Structure formats: structure tokens, C-alpha cells
């Protein structure tokens, strides 16, 4: 089935009348964001670093993420150390059937003063290296400060 404008063009009717209208329609169509900024400097928006500079970072959607090195099966749950790569967290639950992951989210929600539903395990369900996403509106500086305070205890 032919579009209406193709049928009219074959007939030759209104050919000259449709050409400016088609150009106007194309001019009004929005362009992709990457196509409009191509070759131009983007000084309007501050550039975020592509790679996180520490264990606490902000992802592309604006949520705060925390890199965790979990140590399940410990005597007590605690933040043991903060390094440039990850936050070391000891967890009392054993590493079986997701018990340690659930305990990690519960413990971090208590330490950070957030609801349990705001602390979500994003990556590392079967690994010691995990990434936890915080759905609450907080800043990385606040989270890092609370984690440092807990590590000093």
C-alpha cells in the first residue's frame, strides 16, 4: 500500500504544494540529543567522571551506588574498612541461599539510616564483590561520612 503523498506524486497533482509542507514538517521534528551537540563543547553541564573515584558513586540514573567487599559468616556485622575500591563489611549470616545478601541490605539500611526497601543489591549476588544501590535521595558525601563514622567504631 502506498502512502498518500506517494500516490499524489505519481499523479502529479499538488506536487509543488506538498514540497514546502514536507520541508516544514521535517524542520519541526525533534533531533536526537547526541546529534544536536555533535562537535560542540558541552560547557553547560559539568562533566561527571566516567569511573567512580571511590567506593561511593552516582550511576547514570542518579542513584548512589556503593561498592562492597562482603565477609559473610563473621561473629558480628560491622563496617571493617574503607578503601578506594570498596567498603569492607563483615556480615553475621552464612553465605547460603542469599541470607548474607539480605543481612547486608538490612545492616546497611540500619547504618545509613534508610528504609530497607531503599537499599537494593544491584550486582554480585553470588560474589563477595557486590554493588549496592541506594534508592533514597542522598548524596555520596553523606553516605561516605556515615560509613566512615561506622568504620571508626
Amino acid at each position: 500500500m502506498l502512502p498518500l503523498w506517494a500516490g499524489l506524486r505519481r499523479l502529479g497533482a499538488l506536487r509543488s504544494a506538498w514540497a514546502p509542507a514536507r520541508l516544514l514538517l521535517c524542520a519541526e521534528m525533534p533531533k536526537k540529543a547526541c546529534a544536536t551537540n555533535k562537535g560542540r563543547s558541552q560547557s553547560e553541564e559539568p562533566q561527571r567522571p566516567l569511573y567512580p573515584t571511590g567506593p561511593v558513586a552516582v550511576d547514570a540514573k542518579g542513584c548512589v551506588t556503593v561498592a562492597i567487599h562482603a565477609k559473610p559468616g563473621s561473629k558480628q556485622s560491622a563496617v571493617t574498612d574503607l578503601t578506594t575500591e570498596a567498603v569492607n563489611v563483615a556480615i553475621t549470616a552464612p553465605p547460603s541461599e542469599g541470607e548474607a545478601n539480605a543481612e547486608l541490605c538490612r545492616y546497611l539500611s540500619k547504618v545509613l539510616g534508610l528504609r530497607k526497601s531503599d537499599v537494593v543489591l544491584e550486582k554480585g549476588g553470588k560474589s563477595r564483590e557486590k554493588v549496592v544501590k541506594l534508592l533514597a535521595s542522598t548524596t555520596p558525601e553523606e553516605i561516605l561520612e556515615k560509613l566512615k563514622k561506622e568504620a571508626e567504631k
Side-chain angles (χ1 to χ4, degrees):
M1 179 161 224
L2 291 174
L4 178 63
W5 63 270
L8 289 174
R9 190 169 72 189
R10 280 190 177 178
L11 292 174
L14 301 172
R15 185 175 184 172
S16 61
W18 281 93
R22 228 178 320 157
L23 289 175
L24 285 175
L25 287 175
C26 291
E28 293 174 6
M29 291 177 59
K31 303 216 180 212
K32 292 181 181 177
C34 59
T36 58
N37 294 334
K38 194 173 189 180
R40 297 181 192 163
S41 66
Q42 297 176 355
S43 60
E44 298 92 26
E45 296 180 15
Q47 292 290 327
R48 288 186 187 166
L50 294 177
Y51 300 101
T53 56
V56 182
V58 179
D59 67 357
K61 295 180 181 178
C63 295
V64 177
T65 59
V66 183
I68 303 285
H69 179 79
K71 299 173 186 173
S74 300
K75 289 185 179 183
Q76 61 182 359
S77 295
V79 176
T80 57
D81 189 25
L82 268 97
T83 64
T84 57
E85 292 87 29
V87 178
N88 295 329
V89 180
I91 301 296
T92 56
S96 60
E97 298 183 14
E99 289 179 42
N101 294 334
E103 179 63 29
L104 174 69
C105 291
R106 264 188 250 118
Y107 176 69
L108 286 177
S109 68
K110 186 182 95 174
V111 167
L112 301 175
L114 302 173
R115 295 181 301 177
K116 289 181 211 172
S117 60
D118 286 340
V119 180
V120 179
L121 184 68
E122 188 175 72
K123 293 181 185 175
K126 294 186 177 184
S127 170
R128 287 183 178 225
E129 302 299 323
K130 303 177 184 301
V131 176
V132 175
K133 182 186 272 189
L134 306 177
L135 303 177
S137 59
T138 59
T139 62
E141 292 81 17
E142 291 174 359
I143 300 302
L144 198 57
E145 182 181 327
K146 290 178 182 179
L147 289 170
K148 283 180 183 177
K149 194 180 292 185
E150 187 68 21
E152 292 173 357
K153 287 185 181 179

